Amino acid sequence: MSYSKEKVEGILNDGLQRRSFLKGLVACGVLSVLPGGRLLANESLNTKIPYLGEKAYETFRNACPRNCYDTCSIKTFVKDGVMQFIEGATESTFTNGGCCVKGNSYVRRVYSPKRIKYPMMQVGGKGSGSWKRISWDEAIGHIGDKFLNMKKEDGHLLGAALTKYSGNFGITHYGVEGMFSSLGYTTRFGGTPCWPAGIDAQNFDTGNMWCNDPEEMKDSKYIILWGVNPASNSIHTMKYIYEAKRKGAKVIVIDPLFTETASKANEYFQVKAGSDGLLALAMAKIIIDNNLHDKKWLKKNSHGYKEFEKYLKTVSVKKASEVSGLSEKLIHEIALGFAKADPATIWIGYGIQRHTNGGSMVRAIDALVAVTGNVGKYAGGARYGHLHTWGFNYNAMTNPKPKGSIGYTASNAVMGDMHGADSAKKVKYSDRYLNINKTAEGILTATDPKIKLLWVACKNPMAQDFDRNKLIKAFNSVDTVIVADQFFNETTRWADIVLPVTTQFEEYDVNVSYWHYWLSINQQAIKPLHEVKSDLEIASLLSVYMNKKEKGSCTFPQKYDSKKLTSKEFNKGIYEQFGIKSWKELENGPVKAKAVIPFADGKFGTPSGKFEFYSEQALEYGHTALPEYLETRKPYDKYRLTTLHSRFSLHSQFQNIDWMEDIHPEPFVYINPEDATYKRIKTGDMVSVFNKQGLLRVKAKITDNTPVGTFMMYEQWYNNSIYNVNELVDDTSSDMGLFKTGAPGVALQDTYVNIRKV
Amino acid sequence: MQKAFLVDSDKCLGCNTCAMACKNQYHQDKGILWRQVREIGHEEYRTDQNNILPTLVWYAKPPKVEVPAERYYASIACNHCEEPACVAVCPVQAHTKDPETGICKHDQSLCIGCGGCVKACPFGASKFNEQLGKAEKCSMCWERQADGKLPACVQSCPVEAIQVVDIHDPKYANIGEKNPLGLDYAVEAPTKPSTRFIHSSMPNKVHRL
Ligand code: SF4
Ligand code: SF4
Ligand code: SF4
Ligand code: SF4
């Protein structure tokens, strides 16, 4: 590789800002890292860097904070202050030295030429595209004054709303909520778009949402992967599934789509979407009829089993066969195979609960696992997710309200996301809560007070929420929309002020998973680029400004130290659980929680203290007490549309990185050959997919991975196209979610569309 | 010694981690991947969406078993051939074959960008960087290997679907197949590619609606 003068000049001439940035690098003695400096340059001008040997780098511990099962432990290689490359930490047996395709693009994400570099103000109004660079002082002053004026006018801050979700699941990021709490009582978008129906279902059944260590799956004898696609979305779990398979276990995939995972299973069963609950009930019935249920376990550990058994008498295997599309013989085969294997386990995917009968289906599968006595067993269990390792202090969010704050005296306070399901960690709010899954409607219909300020953090609602046209209208109705993000995207387009935030490599944090049991520290590996600041630093700045203008108006700590804030999240419980004495030990590598088998002690968090087939609580929340079969939503158009997570993005993240575009350049709608023939569509044809919500133009790909009558499209925002599958999804709710997260989820999979060649 | 990639398509998830791990390590320019994950199935390989292969006579034989489209993956980089065409054709010895490891190295500082290797390589492994006017390709991470580490793609594969083996070691002499399913070109390639493949299989039982 040669670094000719022309090339260096070329980089330096690539825009004034770049030049000043490179000058900055030079000033801090980073001249020798031109290869690193090149990362910032033109997308296509010799950006290659050599591998220089382990000793040439300084290494840091990081973690992937995205909303993903795997939450990889990362080791970051830095030279002269510039990130060169990353690896998975080898200390974590789960991450095992790897990352995924997304994680491996992190360096490019950090140094992307498209990152937001400075605070910006959209001077021409929302959507105008006419931006002005402003200083942090101006930005914070503007926002701070807004808050103070609102308080003066209204006497409270309920007109200020926060919508934040899973863009960064690092613990200190709950400081964004903390910032809002420290201002007074405000409006929050509560609930979770992702998994509420299943959370409620599991809580009705077990009083918790808690699953076995995925690494145990290597010792399972029968694994049903039900509506889950780890080969795409939890790649590190696949090695345990392979190991089980190698040792003779049976791996079964039940899914409407022939997924990447299905192609790796021993047996694959395609079923009609929304039929899974009935299928599980039929299997439970067969198991009991064949006297293969675990009577001892049921007697000791369950509540309402008799009622359940009685209900099963009304369940017909024949009907289950008709509804699911599986023959009675096959249903028998799976049921008996599952019951006879010991231990056996079912991984319930988040796809199942995204139906109008989703929660009830998860309950039916829970019941099936319980009937076989596989709950509370090593390598067994009904796996959905867990928050068992999330017992942090949430210090960053526990600020007292300023004196005299006036708010809502809501009776059923809603917690919202992650720890909403964690019964051990309850925080009481008296903010005003609106349903996160109906953001547009929430903004448009909120009165007394109206929403005057909207703060968006760790979230890209325009790409991920539903009914975008309504959302644009909603954003336009708000005086000031502030978006804190790393990239300009569809949401920033409708913002008034955009604040550039740090990546995890530019701040301290701590990360755990809702799937595996590892704990990773996230060290600051590089100085924040450009003028970016962390969400917490922004909160501190705001606190400084507001207190200067009006003493006592904000209780958020005015001194910012990301390392200190991170260290404050640890407590004795965490240390004990992970067998460490200090968080400093995490600098040597991630550690794993001491193994605990969920419910092995027969203690459940339900009112009866047992596994509840019959749940009074479910009844209270308007559901059937038993996990009864409920029909799914009736079709309102010709074809079902399933919308999946792609392995190339996490919601709207990563697909905008140019490296990712090299691998995954364009979106498709996937159509079965039979449907395609009927509609005279060939691979590569441009088609319109449309329904009552909207219309999308996208290329077609013909594949028998999708069944007849069902189309498949990946969710996400594509950098170079306006493709967004959520334009076709209405916000019909799934059945459950009110109990633990305060609002039901969205029945994404119950979307129907039609198609036309264009 | 002839170091070689052993690609196990039966395990490969098509996750593309390997391809990105390579980019993470070396930061190739936009549009260039040294390792690519090909989706193979039905007749799709003929259209060669990834453009990894230039049109050549010896690659178009129909696949022997039917694996659903997009559910059979082969992760392919440079084959570090035993008789590499790239080495033979290069007028300035920018490509060299390491006598000890069998790795085909490319020194970009010597490259004059004649494009000979890009045309000569039957597998499209050697890429032409239009902006630089030079060629580039997978180096089997020889610097990492010399440092006692696995190649970046191998280390990051979550299911050990790619490994580095020595096909001259009797232990591995008969390992895998020479032809990737659907890309039978490799068997007859005069370059004697060293990559070995384990073919993908279908689940024992598949029930479709
Ligand atoms: S990383 Fe491994 S499993 Fe993933 S595509 Fe590459 S070879 Fe296949
Ligand atoms: S695959 Fe192509 S580039 Fe690689 S050694 Fe063989 S001929 Fe050379
Ligand atoms: S392009 Fe470069 S490496 Fe390839 S043959 Fe020509 S000079 Fe040699
Ligand atoms: S061996 Fe190294 S250079 Fe070759 S594809 Fe893998 S990561 Fe890239």
Side-chain angles (χ1 to χ4, degrees):
Chain A
M1 217 167 309
S2 63
Y3 307 130
S4 66
K5 190 165 166 286
E6 296 79 54
K7 222 171 287 148
V8 175
E9 285 294 304
I11 298 166
L12 291 173
N13 288 332
D14 181 34
L16 199 64
Q17 295 142 1
R18 180 144 303 123
R19 180 190 293 174
S20 57
F21 179 72
L22 275 177
K23 271 195 188 142
L25 277 185
V26 175
C28 30
V30 209
L31 183 60
S32 54
V33 274
L34 220 42
R38 275 158 197 258
L39 311 188
L40 296 146
N42 189 301
E43 281 183 356
S44 340
L45 185 64
N46 199 13
T47 54
K48 272 201 302 305
I49 56 164
Y51 174 79
L52 300 167
E54 190 117 32
K55 286 192 200 73
Y57 307 98
E58 208 183 333
T59 59
F60 295 88
R61 297 290 176 178
N62 289 98
C64 182
R66 312 268 90 89
N67 184 353
C68 164
Y69 286 99
D70 288 16
T71 309
C72 289
S73 302
I74 294 173
K75 199 167 169 187
T76 304
F77 293 74
V78 173
K79 191 168 151 31
D80 302 319
V82 179
M83 266 175 84
Q84 304 284 313
F85 64 96
I86 61 143
E87 284 183 9
T90 44
E91 291 83 0
S92 158
T93 47
F94 186 85
T95 302
N96 198 25
C99 263
C100 75
V101 61
K102 304 175 284 287
N104 275 309
S105 74
Y106 265 133
V107 179
R108 189 59 180 170
R109 184 173 160 138
V110 171
Y111 294 108
S112 169
K114 295 200 178 122
R115 259 187 93 178
I116 307 173
K117 300 179 180 67
Y118 330 100
M120 303 283 266
M121 188 183 254
Q122 192 157 210
V123 284
K126 297 184 191 74
S128 68
S130 133
W131 293 89
K132 186 179 125 198
R133 176 180 171 183
I134 54 173
S135 69
W136 272 105
D137 283 348
E138 283 172 89
I140 295 293
H142 192 91
I143 299 165
D145 288 345
K146 202 90 209 167
F147 279 118
L148 292 171
N149 287 340
M150 204 185 303
K151 207 149 90 175
K152 212 173 282 161
E153 277 167 27
D154 299 351
H156 53 71
L157 282 178
L158 288 165
L162 171 67
T163 184
K164 182 214 160 204
Y165 195 54
S166 68
N168 187 318
F169 265 159
I171 302 299
T172 68
H173 278 77
Y174 288 98
V176 179
E177 283 93 334
M179 169 179 74
F180 257 62
S181 295
S182 64
L183 292 166
Y185 295 102
T186 55
T187 297
R188 307 291 180 87
F189 284 89
T192 139
C194 182
W195 56 345
I199 295 181
D200 272 19
Q202 290 226 308
N203 271 284
F204 289 138
D205 294 338
T206 68
N208 206 331
M209 175 188 64
W210 190 10
C211 64
N212 292 52
D213 180 0
E215 300 187 26
E216 281 171 6
M217 251 193 288
K218 67 181 195 308
D219 293 319
S220 305
K221 296 280 162 52
Y222 202 101
I223 301 172
I224 301 183
L225 304 172
W226 205 324
V228 69
N229 184 12
S232 215
N233 303 321
S234 179
I235 55 170
H236 297 95
T237 309
M238 285 304 287
K239 60 179 171 291
Y240 304 110
I241 294 169
Y242 278 171
E243 196 177 336
K245 202 173 152 196
R246 191 181 52 76
K247 292 197 294 190
K250 196 159 256 184
V251 178
I252 300 234
V253 170
I254 302 178
D255 202 304
L257 302 165
F258 189 85
T259 60
E260 292 84 353
T261 309
S263 71
K264 302 295 167 192
N266 292 103
E267 300 184 357
Y268 165 62
F269 301 105
Q270 192 161 51
V271 291
K272 289 194 194 124
S275 70
D276 313 77
L278 185 57
L279 192 57
L281 292 171
M283 283 163 68
K285 180 189 172 86
I286 292 165
I287 290 165
I288 294 165
D289 287 351
N290 281 276
N291 202 24
L292 286 168
H293 51 308
D294 189 335
K295 288 156 281 274
K296 227 173 91 194
W297 187 88
L298 288 166
K299 187 150 188 274
K300 202 165 152 235
N301 298 300
S302 76
H303 170 80
Y305 173 70
K306 279 266 129 20
E307 288 88 335
F308 181 57
E309 209 185 67
K310 201 168 139 224
Y311 169 69
L312 286 182
K313 293 209 167 39
T314 69
V315 170
S316 142
V317 179
K318 184 156 169 279
K319 169 124 194 256
S321 161
E322 282 161 18
V323 173
S324 69
L326 275 182
S327 72
E328 288 186 48
K329 189 170 156 272
L330 282 176
I331 301 176
H332 271 89
E333 228 179 84
I334 312 170
L336 298 179
F338 183 71
K340 283 177 187 161
D342 183 22
T345 187
I346 299 179
W347 182 353
I348 308 167
Y350 301 143
I352 290 183
Q353 45 111 37
R354 293 192 174 107
H355 287 277
T356 53
N357 60 347
S360 75
M361 299 207 285
V362 172
R363 286 200 67 204
I365 298 174
D366 279 352
L368 167 63
V369 178
V371 160
T372 57
N374 275 301
V375 174
K377 206 183 250 181
Y378 173 82
R383 298 156 193 270
Y384 183 74
H386 78 92
L387 298 166
H388 193 65
T389 49
W390 290 72
F392 294 91
N393 293 337
Y394 298 92
N395 168 72
M397 75 187 288
T398 51
N399 304 298
K401 304 279 177 199
K403 270 210 187 71
S405 296
I406 297 167
Y408 243 52
T409 35
S411 49
N412 60 334
V414 191
M415 263 304 296
D417 45 40
M418 299 305 288
H419 32 296
D422 187 349
S423 44
K425 195 94 204 166
K426 275 232 164 72
V427 187
K428 195 92 181 142
Y429 286 128
S430 307
D431 298 290
R432 170 168 67 172
Y433 273 90
L434 300 174
N435 182 350
I436 199 169
N437 294 321
K438 297 192 190 271
T439 307
E441 202 180 306
I443 295 172
L444 290 169
T445 58
T447 49
D448 200 18
K450 223 175 124 303
I451 308 272
K452 296 174 176 170
L453 177 149
L454 178 69
W455 191 297
V456 185
C458 305
K459 198 167 180 248
N460 183 359
M462 285 291 172
Q464 293 309 128
D465 281 5
F466 318 98
D467 209 340
R468 179 156 47 170
N469 290 330
K470 204 165 163 189
L471 209 53
I472 292 171
K473 215 169 124 202
F475 270 53
N476 275 328
S477 77
V478 177
D479 296 348
T480 309
V481 175
I482 300 145
V483 178
D485 210 314
Q486 292 162 358
F487 292 94
F488 281 106
N489 57 33
E490 285 172 286
T491 302
T492 58
R493 204 172 143 206
W494 302 100
D496 295 290
I497 294 178
V498 164
L499 305 174
V501 294
T502 39
T503 61
Q504 79 264 30
F505 300 98
E506 298 158 303
E507 67 196 12
Y508 262 86
D509 209 343
V510 53
N511 293 81
V512 284
S513 156
Y514 50 75
W515 180 238
H516 63 66
Y517 282 81
W518 287 86
L519 163 70
S520 309
I521 193 77
N522 180 79
Q523 294 179 293
Q524 185 182 338
I526 53 167
K527 288 206 190 102
L529 264 75
H530 320 292
E531 286 186 11
V532 307
K533 294 193 188 299
S534 80
D535 284 317
L536 289 181
E537 190 174 0
I538 294 169
S540 292
L541 286 177
L542 189 65
S543 187
V544 171
Y545 178 84
M546 291 189 55
N547 279 301
K548 203 186 278 164
K549 271 220 138 171
E550 191 185 303
K551 212 166 173 337
S553 59
C554 179
T555 63
F556 201 88
Q558 297 182 37
K559 260 205 142 129
Y560 170 76
D561 180 344
S562 98
K563 191 172 180 176
K564 207 184 236 145
L565 283 166
T566 302
S567 71
K568 279 191 176 161
E569 296 298 352
F570 290 86
N571 54 43
K572 221 173 127 237
I574 289 280
Y575 288 150
E576 234 155 65
Q577 188 176 23
F578 286 92
I580 50 172
K581 290 205 182 64
S582 150
W583 66 274
K584 286 254 169 218
E585 287 177 44
L586 295 169
E587 288 173 359
N588 303 326
V591 293
K592 190 176 169 181
K594 288 179 196 141
V596 187
I597 313 245
F599 314 118
D601 55 3
K603 287 195 188 114
F604 292 86
T606 52
S608 65
K610 294 183 188 298
F611 180 94
E612 296 200 348
F613 288 101
Y614 186 94
S615 165
E616 296 273 357
Q617 271 176 336
L619 209 55
E620 263 167 50
Y621 277 86
H623 313 297
T624 56
L626 291 165
E628 289 178 27
Y629 168 62
L630 301 171
E631 273 183 39
T632 190
R633 188 185 194 184
K634 289 262 172 308
Y636 58 84
D637 217 321
K638 198 142 188 287
Y639 301 92
R640 184 188 284 277
L641 174 69
T642 53
T643 64
L644 304 196
H645 291 61
S646 141
R647 53 198 189 272
F648 303 108
S649 66
L650 231 152
H651 301 308
S652 65
Q653 302 182 103
F654 294 106
Q655 185 58 52
N656 65 325
I657 309 299
D658 55 2
W659 285 4
M660 196 62 86
E661 282 172 347
D662 285 344
I663 290 176
H664 193 223
E666 61 179 333
F668 289 99
V669 53
Y670 298 80
I671 310 171
N672 182 278
E674 207 177 302
D675 296 329
T677 313
Y678 180 72
K679 292 274 183 183
R680 293 168 202 275
I681 295 166
K682 293 189 301 303
T683 290
D685 283 351
M686 227 16 184
V687 297
S688 284
V689 185
F690 55 93
N691 62 9
K692 60 184 167 105
Q693 271 79 239
L695 179 145
L696 267 188
R697 284 176 62 150
V698 63
K699 263 192 198 162
K701 202 170 218 175
I702 316 305
T703 167
D704 59 0
N705 293 327
T706 67
V708 182
T710 298
F711 301 154
M712 197 271 278
M713 278 160 112
Y714 290 117
E715 60 146 20
Q716 69 193 194
W717 157 58
Y718 281 77
N719 206 25
N720 296 324
S721 108
I722 54 159
Y723 170 86
N724 182 351
V725 83
N726 286 344
E727 304 224 344
L728 298 170
V729 179
D730 61 355
D731 53 4
T732 292
S733 298
S734 55
D735 51 352
M736 295 180 189
L738 209 60
F739 176 35
K740 281 293 164 180
T741 64
V746 175
L748 286 143
Q749 307 297 23
D750 286 335
T751 298
Y752 292 88
V753 292
N754 207 333
I755 201 164
R756 187 189 326 121
K757 192 168 150 176
V758 291
Chain B
M1 190 188 335
Q2 175 61 58
K3 290 203 177 197
F5 293 115
L6 173 63
V7 178
D8 188 343
S9 283
D10 204 30
K11 283 186 182 164
C12 177
L13 310 168
C15 68
N16 275 273
T17 298
C18 48
M20 193 64 94
C22 180
K23 239 172 141 115
N24 156 62
Q25 182 69 74
Y26 301 105
H27 300 233
Q28 294 95 357
D29 282 347
K30 179 145 175 59
I32 296 180
L33 293 165
W34 290 351
R35 176 171 287 282
Q36 279 173 289
V37 181
R38 307 204 53 219
E39 299 174 341
I40 302 164
H42 296 316
E43 299 291 304
E44 288 216 351
Y45 68 99
R46 287 172 190 280
T47 54
D48 192 31
Q49 303 156 337
N50 286 336
N51 274 323
I52 190 177
L53 301 168
T55 320
L56 263 180
V57 278
W58 59 65
Y59 79 76
K61 275 192 204 159
K64 289 185 209 90
V65 298
E66 192 173 285
V67 188
E70 296 168 61
R71 293 296 176 259
Y72 167 33
Y73 308 97
S75 173
I76 300 178
C78 168
N79 294 299
H80 301 280
C81 302
E82 298 206 66
E83 306 285 345
C86 54
V87 174
V89 83
C90 181
V92 293
Q93 281 85 51
H95 282 285
T96 48
K97 189 162 172 66
D98 189 298
E100 199 164 312
T101 58
I103 295 174
C104 284
K105 299 179 181 170
H106 177 243
D107 183 345
Q108 207 177 30
S109 65
L110 298 176
C111 177
I112 53 166
C114 71
C117 58
V118 179
K119 288 200 197 80
C121 170
F123 314 103
S126 197
K127 308 281 176 189
F128 199 74
N129 185 324
E130 298 285 346
Q131 284 76 30
L132 288 181
K134 294 187 183 209
E136 56 185 271
K137 69 166 191 67
C138 154
S139 63
M140 213 189 235
C141 286
W142 64 269
E143 299 98 329
R144 279 179 66 100
Q145 292 204 54
D147 207 24
K149 287 169 85 99
L150 290 169
C153 56
V154 174
Q155 175 170 328
S156 73
C157 175
V159 290
E160 292 178 358
I162 16 176
Q163 291 173 55
V164 170
V165 297
D166 172 10
I167 50 169
H168 287 179
D169 180 339
K171 201 163 76 187
Y172 298 115
N174 296 314
I175 198 153
E177 306 268 341
K178 288 188 179 166
N179 62 320
L181 193 61
L183 302 168
D184 293 358
Y185 60 88
V187 207
E188 293 150 60
T191 60
K192 298 220 291 185
S194 65
T195 310
R196 296 293 180 264
F197 297 89
I198 293 169
H199 291 176
S200 187
S201 59
M202 284 279 279
N204 306 340
K205 191 182 273 172
V206 174
H207 160 82
R208 298 249 195 182
L209 289 173

Coordinates of all heavy atoms in Angstrom, one line a residue, chain A residues 165 189-193 195-197 199-200 203 413-421 433-437 736-745:
Chain A
Y165 N -36.8 4.2 22.8 CA -36.9 2.7 22.9 C -35.6 2.0 22.8 O -34.7 2.4 23.6 CB -38.0 2.1 22.0 CG -38.3 0.7 22.5 CD1 -38.7 0.5 23.8 CD2 -38.2 -0.4 21.6 CE1 -38.9 -0.8 24.2 CE2 -38.4 -1.6 22.1 CZ -38.8 -1.9 23.4 OH -39.0 -3.2 23.8
F189 N -44.1 8.0 26.4 CA -44.7 6.9 25.5 C -44.3 5.6 26.2 O -43.1 5.2 26.2 CB -44.2 7.1 24.1 CG -45.0 8.2 23.4 CD1 -44.5 9.5 23.4 CD2 -46.2 7.9 22.8 CE1 -45.2 10.5 22.8 CE2 -46.9 8.9 22.3 CZ -46.4 10.2 22.3
G190 N -45.3 5.0 26.7 CA -45.0 3.7 27.5 C -45.4 2.5 26.8 O -46.2 2.5 25.8
G191 N -44.9 1.4 27.3 CA -45.2 0.1 26.6 C -44.0 -0.3 25.8 O -43.0 0.3 25.9
T192 N -44.1 -1.3 25.0 CA -43.1 -1.7 24.1 C -43.6 -2.2 22.8 O -44.6 -2.9 22.8 CB -42.2 -2.8 24.8 OG1 -41.8 -3.8 23.8 CG2 -42.8 -3.4 26.0
P193 N -43.0 -1.9 21.7 CA -43.5 -2.3 20.4 C -43.2 -3.8 20.1 O -43.8 -4.4 19.2 CB -42.8 -1.4 19.4 CG -41.8 -0.6 20.2 CD -41.8 -1.1 21.6
W195 N -42.4 -7.0 22.3 CA -42.7 -8.3 22.8 C -43.8 -8.3 24.0 O -43.8 -9.3 24.7 CB -41.5 -9.0 23.3 CG -40.6 -8.2 24.3 CD1 -40.8 -6.9 24.6 CD2 -39.5 -8.7 25.1 NE1 -39.8 -6.5 25.5 CE2 -39.1 -7.6 25.8 CE3 -38.9 -9.9 25.2 CZ2 -38.0 -7.7 26.7 CZ3 -37.9 -10.0 26.1 CH2 -37.4 -8.9 26.8
P196 N -44.6 -7.4 24.1 CA -45.5 -7.3 25.2 C -46.5 -8.5 25.4 O -46.7 -8.9 26.5 CB -46.3 -6.0 25.0 CG -46.1 -5.6 23.7 CD -44.8 -6.2 23.2
A197 N -47.0 -9.0 24.3 CA -48.0 -10.0 24.4 C -47.4 -11.3 25.1 O -48.0 -11.9 26.0 CB -48.6 -10.4 23.1
I199 N -44.7 -11.3 27.0 CA -44.3 -11.0 28.3 C -45.5 -11.2 29.3 O -45.3 -11.9 30.3 CB -43.8 -9.5 28.5 CG1 -42.5 -9.2 27.7 CG2 -43.6 -9.1 30.0 CD1 -42.0 -7.8 27.8
D200 N -46.6 -10.7 28.9 CA -47.8 -10.9 29.7 C -48.1 -12.4 29.8 O -48.4 -12.9 30.9 CB -49.0 -10.1 29.1 CG -49.1 -8.7 29.6 OD1 -48.0 -8.2 30.1 OD2 -50.1 -8.1 29.5
N203 N -45.9 -14.0 32.2 CA -46.2 -13.6 33.5 C -47.5 -14.2 34.1 O -47.6 -14.4 35.3 CB -46.2 -12.1 33.6 CG -44.8 -11.5 33.9 OD1 -44.3 -11.6 35.0 ND2 -44.1 -11.0 32.8
A413 N -49.8 3.3 36.9 CA -48.6 3.8 36.3 C -47.9 2.7 35.4 O -47.9 1.6 35.8 CB -47.6 4.2 37.4
V414 N -47.5 3.1 34.3 CA -46.9 2.2 33.3 C -45.4 2.3 33.3 O -44.9 3.4 33.3 CB -47.5 2.5 31.9 CG1 -47.1 1.4 31.0 CG2 -48.9 2.7 32.0
M415 N -44.7 1.2 33.3 CA -43.3 1.2 33.3 C -42.7 1.3 31.9 O -41.6 1.8 31.7 CB -42.8 0.0 34.0 CG -42.4 0.2 35.5 SD -41.3 1.6 35.6 CE -39.9 0.8 34.7
G416 N -43.3 0.6 31.0 CA -42.6 0.6 29.7 C -41.8 -0.6 29.5 O -42.1 -1.7 29.9
D417 N -40.6 -0.3 28.9 CA -39.8 -1.4 28.3 C -39.2 -2.4 29.2 O -39.9 -2.9 30.1 CB -38.8 -0.8 27.3 CG -38.1 0.4 27.9 OD1 -37.8 0.3 29.1 OD2 -37.9 1.4 27.3
M418 N -37.9 -2.5 29.1 CA -37.2 -3.7 29.7 C -37.7 -4.1 31.1 O -38.1 -5.2 31.3 CB -35.7 -3.5 29.7 CG -35.1 -3.3 28.3 SD -35.5 -4.6 27.2 CE -34.4 -5.9 27.9
H419 N -37.6 -3.2 32.0 CA -37.8 -3.7 33.4 C -39.3 -3.6 33.7 O -39.7 -3.8 34.9 CB -36.9 -3.2 34.4 CG -36.5 -1.8 34.1 ND1 -35.8 -1.5 33.0 CD2 -36.8 -0.6 34.8 CE1 -35.6 -0.2 33.0 NE2 -36.2 0.4 34.0
G420 N -40.1 -3.4 32.8 CA -41.6 -3.4 33.0 C -42.0 -4.8 33.4 O -42.9 -5.0 34.2
A421 N -41.2 -5.8 32.9 CA -41.6 -7.2 33.2 C -40.9 -7.7 34.4 O -41.1 -8.8 34.8 CB -41.3 -8.0 32.0
Y433 N -48.9 8.9 30.7 CA -48.5 7.8 29.8 C -49.3 7.7 28.5 O -50.6 7.7 28.6 CB -48.4 6.5 30.5 CG -47.0 6.3 31.1 CD1 -46.8 6.8 32.4 CD2 -46.0 5.8 30.4 CE1 -45.6 6.7 33.0 CE2 -44.7 5.7 31.0 CZ -44.5 6.1 32.3 OH -43.3 6.0 32.8
L434 N -48.7 7.6 27.4 CA -49.4 7.4 26.1 C -48.8 6.1 25.5 O -47.7 5.7 25.8 CB -49.2 8.5 25.2 CG -49.7 9.9 25.6 CD1 -49.3 11.0 24.7 CD2 -51.2 9.9 25.8
N435 N -49.6 5.4 24.7 CA -49.2 4.1 24.2 C -48.1 4.3 23.1 O -48.4 4.9 22.1 CB -50.5 3.4 23.6 CG -50.2 2.0 23.0 OD1 -49.0 1.6 22.9 ND2 -51.2 1.3 22.7
I436 N -47.0 3.7 23.3 CA -45.9 3.8 22.4 C -46.2 3.3 21.0 O -45.6 3.7 20.0 CB -44.6 3.1 23.0 CG1 -43.3 3.6 22.3 CG2 -44.7 1.6 22.8 CD1 -42.0 3.2 23.0
N437 N -47.1 2.3 21.0 CA -47.5 1.8 19.7 C -48.5 2.6 18.9 O -48.9 2.2 17.8 CB -48.0 0.3 19.8 CG -46.9 -0.5 20.3 OD1 -45.7 -0.4 19.9 ND2 -47.2 -1.4 21.2
M736 N -52.4 -9.2 24.3 CA -51.9 -9.0 25.6 C -50.9 -7.9 25.6 O -50.4 -7.4 24.6 CB -51.4 -10.2 26.2 CG -52.4 -11.3 26.4 SD -51.7 -12.8 27.2 CE -53.1 -13.9 27.0
G737 N -50.5 -7.4 26.8 CA -49.5 -6.4 27.0 C -49.8 -5.4 28.1 O -48.9 -4.8 28.7
L738 N -51.1 -5.3 28.4 CA -51.5 -4.3 29.4 C -51.0 -4.6 30.8 O -50.6 -3.7 31.5 CB -53.0 -4.3 29.4 CG -53.7 -3.0 29.7 CD1 -53.3 -1.9 28.7 CD2 -55.2 -3.1 29.7
F739 N -50.9 -5.8 31.1 CA -50.5 -6.3 32.4 C -49.1 -5.8 32.8 O -49.0 -5.1 33.9 CB -50.6 -7.8 32.5 CG -50.2 -8.5 33.7 CD1 -50.5 -7.9 35.0 CD2 -49.6 -9.7 33.7 CE1 -50.1 -8.6 36.2 CE2 -49.3 -10.4 34.9 CZ -49.5 -9.8 36.1
K740 N -48.1 -6.1 32.0 CA -46.8 -5.8 32.5 C -46.1 -4.6 31.8 O -45.3 -3.9 32.4 CB -45.9 -7.0 32.2 CG -46.0 -8.0 33.3 CD -45.5 -7.5 34.7 CE -46.0 -8.4 35.8 NZ -45.5 -8.0 37.1
T741 N -46.5 -4.3 30.6 CA -45.8 -3.2 29.9 C -46.7 -2.0 29.7 O -46.3 -1.0 29.2 CB -45.2 -3.6 28.5 OG1 -46.3 -4.0 27.7 CG2 -44.3 -4.8 28.7
G742 N -48.0 -2.2 30.1 CA -48.9 -1.0 30.1 C -49.7 -0.8 28.8 O -50.6 0.0 28.7
A743 N -49.3 -1.5 27.8 CA -50.0 -1.3 26.5 C -49.7 -2.6 25.6 O -48.7 -3.2 25.7 CB -49.4 -0.1 25.7
P744 N -50.7 -3.0 24.9 CA -50.5 -4.2 24.1 C -49.6 -3.9 22.9 O -49.3 -2.8 22.6 CB -51.9 -4.4 23.5 CG -52.6 -3.1 23.5 CD -52.0 -2.4 24.7
G745 N -49.0 -5.0 22.4 CA -48.1 -4.9 21.2 C -48.9 -4.7 20.0 O -50.1 -4.6 20.0

